[in-house]
Amino acid sequence: MDDIKSISDAVMPVIEQRIGAAPAIFNLWFGEVELISLSDTEAVFVAPTELKKKILITKYIHQMGNALEDVIGFTVEVKIVSRDELEEVEEFIEDDDDEDDIPVPDPTEEDDGKEEIISEFISGASDKPSMLDNYTFDNFVVGSSNTFAKAACMAVAKEPTVYNPLFIYGNSGLGKTHLLYAIINYMKHNHPNLKIVYKKCETFLAELIEALQAGFVAPFKEKYRRCDVLLIDDIQFLAGKEMTQEEFFHTFSALYESDKQIILTSDRPPKDIKPLSDRLKSRFEGGLLADVQPPNFELRIAIIRKKADDIGLTISNEMVEYMAERLQNNIRQIEGALKRLYAVCSFTATSVTKDKVDEVISIIDPGNIPADAMIERILGSVSKHYGVDIESMKSKKKTDSIAKARHVAIYLIRNMTSLTLKEIGGIFDRNHATVMASIDYVELNMRTVNGYEREIKQLKKEIKG
Ligand code: ADP
Ligand code: MG
């Protein structure tokens, strides 16, 4: 049963992504939907009420199927039942039902404006609060690529405005949103009185446009200026949006001047967000900039180990290392791969093998091919390009044309795979020093021979396909 729950948890965000509806709409229809059974041919979701079941069947069943396929890696027929039906058929026992048919957005709790902002934050985060709780400082794994960013976030979480604004940047899938959520979680526990507003930049933009269209901008401004901590995720979306930049600038300044904490994330540093007004750029640069870099091998291993343990996936060290070699640039991808592996292996009651890892990676990252397949491609392309057959490249022959092709093949393997010099030497039956010499040869030519660099780049492009 545990298995099905984690697949259910994994699939809901994918459904949300596929549907692309506003979080409130998504929660309305999917808030209490769960995957309750899965075989190799059929999946059953349960909806809390008849009405919701009907809506899901008429509007979303297709996307639910696709999302599930994303997660488990194979196609199944999707069925949706209501809680009532389930109870009739299976005497499914849960705590008492009487779910109301009316969608309840929950305007609960105390007043004082705080709650409103917190719920605002939750809907903006487009995650159920329980999911949000998963993103903490404790479960953020650190290595040299992200220690500084984490430390900066912790400093701000502990003592807001020590660094203001805090600007975190780095490629997608490297933990920026995780860090923002960790700050929020920390603050909710340790500074419960702070009014926190979290927004994805796109939501901020959408709200502003809506307010402008309705001719009713004051409440919008008011909401943002009333908070103590403002977190805007993916601020790069401000690029080129002049009017929004203008509005954001005023919000920013108002908060900043009244000593409120501002935390921003972006997929690039402020100087590369273009076009961005100079004054905003200098505001962004006026605080602390912290970057997150792609994880190195050790950190990837640590993350894979931890995430596998978290979801209860048994995986050998050898396979952990293999995954760490193949998935280098994106922690989100690593997580996705582990969840799929978990699904595939738990259904077939088999263990994680290299073939399964390859299969899962080919689905989540089609451009990422295994080293042996990559080597084959490189040898094939180089052979064709220079008219030298692969056997000759691997042989001891030293003819000029053969040696040239061999140098290039060696260089490309070094450049496009994570093989060590020694492993490359193994392919060509040569020692480590010879491999180095080939690489030097190509690098030197790229710098000095006209057109050579272009040729190598062209080859690389062909190989990537
Ligand atoms: P970004 O916002 O930079 O695109 P996210 O914060 O959404 O990336 O991270 C993608 C996924 O990877 C999340 O599920 C997150 O929990 C996980 N992740 C990223 N970095 C780490 C880390 N250092 N330790 C643990 N999980 C991480
Ligand atoms: Mg993010």
Side-chain angles (χ1 to χ4, degrees):
M1 268 297 104
D2 221 31
D3 309 3
I4 195 79
K5 168 126 189 8
S6 61
I7 296 164
S8 183
D9 289 346
V11 78
M12 299 318 287
V14 185
I15 297 177
E16 180 170 13
Q17 216 176 11
R18 280 198 167 260
I19 291 176
I25 302 289
F26 178 80
N27 285 334
L28 178 59
W29 301 121
F30 286 89
E32 290 158 84
V33 172
E34 269 177 81
L35 176 69
I36 51 159
S37 88
L38 184 61
S39 69
D40 51 358
T41 55
E42 185 188 279
V44 183
F45 285 89
V46 61
T49 62
E50 268 303 308
L51 172 71
K52 290 188 183 181
K53 173 186 124 179
K54 284 195 192 120
I55 297 286
L56 297 187
I57 292 176
T58 47
K59 290 189 66 175
Y60 298 119
I61 195 163
H62 194 65
Q63 283 131 314
M64 291 166 77
N66 289 340
L68 191 57
E69 191 182 334
D70 282 348
V71 172
I72 61 179
F74 49 86
T75 319
V76 290
E77 189 190 344
V78 172
K79 294 205 167 138
I80 299 167
V81 299
S82 69
R83 248 309 146 220
D84 282 349
E85 285 171 313
L86 200 65
E87 279 167 7
E88 279 161 27
V89 183
E90 283 187 315
E91 295 181 51
F92 185 85
I93 303 157
E94 266 296 334
D95 50 356
D96 50 26
D97 46 359
D98 56 66
E99 319 291 49
D100 14 25
D101 250 11
I102 310 142
V104 209
D106 74 43
T108 38
E109 272 99 60
E110 309 101 287
D111 35 17
D112 78 350
K114 172 177 144 216
E115 210 44 51
E116 186 198 325
I117 290 192
I118 297 285
S119 65
E120 178 74 52
F121 143 64
I122 288 168
S123 70
S126 87
D127 267 312
K128 293 185 224 112
S130 63
M131 275 191 72
L132 212 102
D133 292 344
N134 295 334
Y135 299 105
T136 58
F137 288 123
D138 281 346
N139 62 23
F140 188 81
V141 187
V142 282
S144 53
S145 52
N146 59 15
T147 306
F148 181 68
K150 180 185 172 183
C153 289
M154 283 183 80
V156 161
K158 285 190 178 141
E159 197 185 328
T161 74
V162 273
Y163 303 118
N164 206 13
L166 173 59
F167 191 104
I168 306 159
Y169 68 92
N171 286 344
S172 170
L174 297 181
K176 301 181 297 294
T177 300
H178 185 134
L179 285 171
L180 289 191
Y181 285 9
I183 294 175
I184 294 163
N185 275 319
Y186 186 94
M187 286 181 169
K188 282 208 294 184
H189 285 108
N190 297 286
H191 309 291
N193 293 324
L194 290 179
K195 299 186 199 97
I196 302 168
V197 173
Y198 165 95
K199 286 284 164 182
K200 295 186 156 98
C201 187
E202 291 148 295
T203 318
F204 178 87
L205 298 181
E207 278 183 11
L208 176 62
I209 290 165
E210 215 171 283
L212 288 169
Q213 279 171 350
F216 212 53
V217 191
F220 173 86
K221 289 184 197 259
E222 175 56 22
K223 181 172 78 195
Y224 284 97
R225 288 174 202 181
R226 216 153 36 111
C227 65
D228 300 310
V229 182
L230 176 65
L231 306 99
I232 304 275
D233 207 354
D234 289 320
I235 196 85
Q236 73 271 9
F237 287 110
L238 279 186
K241 314 230 167 53
E242 267 171 50
M243 197 141 74
T244 325
Q245 286 187 19
E246 176 77 18
E247 183 54 41
F248 188 73
F249 178 79
H250 293 305
T251 304
F252 185 105
S253 303
L255 288 173
Y256 183 81
E257 272 139 35
S258 44
D259 211 20
K260 304 299 171 75
Q261 178 69 48
I262 299 153
I263 306 160
L264 307 167
T265 74
S266 162
D267 66 357
R268 63 202 81 166
K271 67 176 170 47
D272 294 338
I273 304 178
K274 283 177 191 152
L276 181 71
S277 73
D278 284 344
R279 53 186 192 164
L280 260 185
K281 193 168 76 185
S282 69
R283 287 278 176 170
F284 291 172
E285 286 169 345
L288 182 66
L289 298 182
D291 65 336
V292 284
Q293 291 290 332
N296 65 14
F297 187 65
E298 285 71 35
L299 180 55
R300 298 200 297 277
I301 299 254
I303 288 174
I304 295 169
R305 223 342 117 213
K306 173 166 184 352
K307 304 257 168 190
D309 289 349
D310 286 353
I311 59 174
L313 173 73
T314 314
I315 176 168
S316 68
N317 288 338
E318 193 192 348
M319 284 304 112
V320 170
E321 284 179 20
Y322 181 61
M323 285 184 78
E325 260 163 33
R326 292 216 37 207
L327 294 170
Q328 306 202 348
N329 298 317
N330 187 322
I331 299 169
R332 186 177 295 117
Q333 257 175 7
I334 291 180
E335 268 189 339
L338 287 168
K339 282 181 186 157
R340 264 167 225 258
L341 271 178
Y342 179 80
V344 172
C345 294
S346 63
F347 290 133
T348 47
T350 49
S351 51
V352 178
T353 56
K354 184 164 173 291
D355 282 349
K356 291 211 185 80
V357 174
D358 286 342
E359 188 188 315
V360 160
I361 293 178
S362 73
I363 297 168
I364 60 161
D365 188 9
N368 178 346
I369 62 172
D372 33 1
M374 182 61 102
I375 292 165
E376 251 173 61
R377 277 198 200 179
I378 293 172
L379 292 174
S381 294
V382 173
S383 156
K384 203 168 117 212
H385 188 83
Y386 293 99
V388 171
D389 62 75
I390 296 177
E391 277 323 301
S392 304
M393 278 193 268
K394 291 183 177 176
S395 75
K396 294 284 171 204
K397 290 183 198 159
K398 287 189 176 146
T399 333
D400 212 30
S401 60
I402 296 176
K404 274 187 181 156
R406 184 184 300 128
H407 293 322
V408 172
I410 288 176
Y411 170 84
L412 289 173
I413 293 174
R414 177 65 175 169
N415 205 258
M416 301 179 78
T417 70
S418 52
L419 259 61
T420 61
L421 296 174
K422 195 165 161 230
E423 286 164 335
I424 300 174
I427 302 174
F428 296 89
D429 191 18
R430 277 165 165 79
N431 64 25
H432 158 277
T434 320
V435 171
M436 280 294 289
S438 290
I439 295 168
D440 289 346
Y441 169 88
V442 175
E443 284 177 349
L444 178 70
N445 277 337
M446 290 207 298
R447 284 195 304 271
T448 54
V449 177
N450 212 353
Y452 192 85
E453 184 172 7
R454 199 169 344 109
E455 186 177 327
I456 300 289
K457 280 196 174 147
Q458 182 57 35
L459 257 173
K460 258 175 100 166
K461 219 161 124 192
E462 271 170 43
I463 294 162
K464 280 191 188 145

